[in-house]
Amino acid sequence: MTKLLYLIASCLLKLSLEIDTDAPCKVVSCSDSLSENVCVHQDGETIQVKACPTNYTCSNLAQFGDWNSWKDSSCSEDVPETKESNCTGNHELVTYNECCSNDDCFSKKCNDGHCKSIKVGHYCKIDDHCEPSYYCSSNNLCVQSLVTGTPCLASSQCAVGIGCNQYTYTCISFFSLGFGKASNEAKYCKSNYVRNGKCDRVSIYVDNVKLEEPFYCTVPSTCTYKWDSDNTTDTTAPCQCAGVGSNIGFCNPSLGPVRGISDVFWPKFQYSDSSCSGDDGSSIDIDTLYFCNAVSDDGKNYYNEMMTIFSDWALYHSGAIDNCSEALKLYNPSYKMDSWSKGHLPLLASFMLYLILS
Ligand SMILES: *[C@@H]1O[C@H](CO)[C@@H](O)[C@H](O)[C@H]1NC(C)=O
Ligand SMILES: *[C@@H]1O[C@H](CO)[C@@H](O)[C@H](O)[C@H]1NC(C)=O
Ligand SMILES: *[C@@H]1O[C@H](CO)[C@@H](O)[C@H](O)[C@H]1NC(C)=O
Ligand SMILES: *[C@@H]1O[C@H](CO)[C@@H](O)[C@H](O)[C@H]1NC(C)=O
């Protein structure tokens, strides 16, 4: 009897060592053996993931931020984007909007599918009617915008990619003000965050210890995001599992304007050229920036890659599903914070090298 109990006990111990049911974090791994159209399957302490076929997307990718609570998911067919035409023939479209005929544009000129702008000194109703870096003056004429460093009263007076800081009444570049500088708009700050009239950012703490990138923590513990300006807490969130079992995790930097992340990322998106004017010429929305040629293909790609890395930070750092993350339309494991910066033209550079070598 004692022997039997001993056997059962040792069996249970062995079982628990193999499966490690006490580990707070599950293991995530790429698997080829899932049946067709299944992209996430939880099998005991293991979560298996598999990429979906072409034109299909895993239906529950939102759960990837907190994947320890993943649910089984299947692939669903992509719905093709339908682009509605804005061509009404009502002379409504502004500078660089897509048009079908001259009648669609305020300027009455549709060239190569884009509305031309109103020339300097001619009649406009809004800033968006004028050329990039021109604005509509109070007497309804397009006039040249102000450059960085000049005194201003309103943001519309400042050229593309810059705005009027209402604390200094000076045209300043987006994402240019450091921590603690006075600003009335988030987008003038490097961190793209303003709080109590100043550019602010957060640092991540666990048990009152300030973490540095990549914000390693153990599960369970609480990541506390505190404002650098006064150490008050902005938000708290659980340490996220890294997908390699045991208690290995990371605090997620996408939950706030984190020091060393936000204030490094956003300044890369400063711009001084755009095909758009008015609202679109002072946008920081990535799709608008891309459409308006203020950001290149590489820049838009960088933005999207980094957004997936930020949201799947723990998996990205553990490498648990590096083999299939791209196929799953998640992050690119070889991508890094410094994979792109403006003026960094890998294609042009390699072309020059090719010219030199040949
Ligand atoms: C995927 O969708 C695109 C656009 O709808 C289509 O051209 C392509 O043939 C599809 N590919 C497959 C493998 O179904
Ligand atoms: C129509 O306008 C909307 C809103 O400005 C824009 O998102 C969309 O891309 C435009 N469509 C086309 C075909 O230009
Ligand atoms: C915040 O706390 C840190 C120590 O954790 C201290 O060095 C720093 O001066 C504090 N900052 C403010 C604004 O109180
Ligand atoms: C990734 O794939 C390679 C080759 O297919 C394999 O040797 C390796 O074990 C895989 N790594 C993981 C973490 O699945």
Side-chain angles (χ1 to χ4, degrees):
M1 187 66 190
T2 340
K3 203 173 179 186
L4 187 63
L5 274 181
Y6 171 78
L7 254 173
I8 291 170
S10 61
C11 258
L12 282 177
L13 186 69
K14 189 159 183 277
L15 213 64
S16 71
L17 280 180
E18 273 172 359
I19 303 182
D20 201 5
T21 44
D22 287 341
C25 290
K26 292 169 184 153
V27 173
V28 189
S29 66
C30 302
S31 165
D32 288 332
S33 60
L34 296 182
S35 42
E36 213 191 327
N37 268 1
V38 173
C39 50
V40 179
H41 177 62
Q42 201 179 136
D43 186 6
E45 292 309 299
T46 304
I47 295 168
Q48 296 178 314
V49 294
K50 195 190 77 183
C52 292
T54 312
N55 292 347
Y56 283 78
T57 303
C58 192
S59 57
N60 244 331
L61 286 184
Q63 63 182 308
F64 275 52
D66 176 25
W67 59 268
N68 215 33
S69 56
W70 270 354
K71 292 176 185 63
D72 287 8
S73 306
S74 55
C75 301
S76 50
E77 193 166 4
D78 297 342
V79 183
E81 261 182 71
T82 49
K83 229 182 158 190
E84 61 187 281
S85 165
N86 292 334
C87 297
T88 60
N90 287 340
H91 302 292
E92 282 166 342
L93 300 180
V94 300
T95 299
Y96 206 67
N97 275 180
E98 285 181 345
C99 50
C100 315
S101 79
N102 289 342
D103 287 342
D104 298 325
C105 303
F106 180 80
S107 65
K108 303 193 177 82
K109 277 185 204 130
C110 178
N111 254 23
D112 291 332
H114 292 279
C115 286
K116 298 282 277 183
S117 41
I118 299 294
K119 292 280 172 219
V120 57
H122 289 263
Y123 178 74
C124 54
K125 281 187 182 165
I126 52 172
D127 301 323
D128 311 53
H129 290 151
C130 303
E131 292 179 62
S133 291
Y134 286 77
Y135 70 102
C136 197
S137 69
S138 53
N139 52 356
N140 291 107
L141 299 175
C142 286
V143 297
Q144 190 159 17
S145 305
L146 306 171
V147 298
T148 312
T150 24
C152 52
L153 290 172
S155 282
S156 61
Q157 298 178 310
C158 304
V160 294
I162 68 177
C164 193
N165 187 358
Q166 298 296 314
Y167 280 89
T168 54
Y169 290 99
T170 311
C171 290
I172 58 162
S173 187
F174 298 165
F175 313 125
S176 63
L177 297 176
F179 170 67
K181 292 285 194 311
S183 175
N184 66 307
E185 277 205 64
K187 68 183 177 186
Y188 303 147
C189 301
K190 287 182 176 175
S191 60
N192 195 17
Y193 207 96
V194 74
R195 181 171 167 262
N196 303 332
K198 287 182 176 166
C199 295
D200 212 341
R201 61 185 187 201
V202 295
S203 293
I204 308 177
Y205 294 75
V206 171
D207 294 333
N208 286 317
V209 175
K210 197 191 266 194
L211 305 186
E212 297 299 330
E213 203 188 331
F215 318 113
Y216 172 73
C217 52
T218 56
V219 182
S221 62
T222 300
C223 307
T224 304
Y225 299 70
K226 293 186 193 175
W227 294 109
D228 275 3
S229 54
D230 58 11
N231 283 340
T232 57
T233 298
D234 174 38
T235 190
T236 61
C239 173
Q240 287 187 341
C241 287
V244 289
S246 72
N247 60 359
I248 298 168
F250 295 87
C251 296
N252 191 314
S254 64
L255 299 178
V258 171
R259 174 181 53 95
I261 301 286
S262 276
D263 47 9
V264 174
F265 176 78
W266 286 108
K268 291 172 186 279
F269 292 95
Q270 289 187 350
Y271 64 97
S272 53
D273 284 314
S274 172
S275 299
C276 301
S277 56
D279 285 345
D280 286 352
S282 60
S283 176
I284 57 164
D285 168 68
I286 191 66
D287 294 325
T288 305
L289 291 183
Y290 181 68
F291 176 79
C292 295
N293 304 309
V295 158
S296 63
D297 286 299
D298 286 345
K300 184 186 157 97
N301 190 37
Y302 175 80
Y303 185 96
N304 292 332
E305 292 289 357
M306 289 314 298
M307 284 300 159
T308 64
I309 286 174
F310 294 150
S311 67
D312 297 308
W313 189 257
L315 284 180
Y316 165 77
H317 277 285
S318 73
I321 57 165
D322 277 4
N323 273 5
C324 61
S325 66
E326 271 196 288
L328 271 163
K329 300 176 191 170
L330 294 176
Y331 59 87
N332 172 346
S334 60
Y335 227 80
K336 292 191 197 72
M337 198 73 187
D338 61 1
S339 285
W340 175 76
S341 63
K342 254 211 188 122
H344 177 209
L345 296 167
L347 266 181
L348 184 63
S350 43
F351 181 62
M352 303 282 278
L353 192 66
Y354 165 79
L355 285 184
I356 292 163
L357 292 177
S358 59

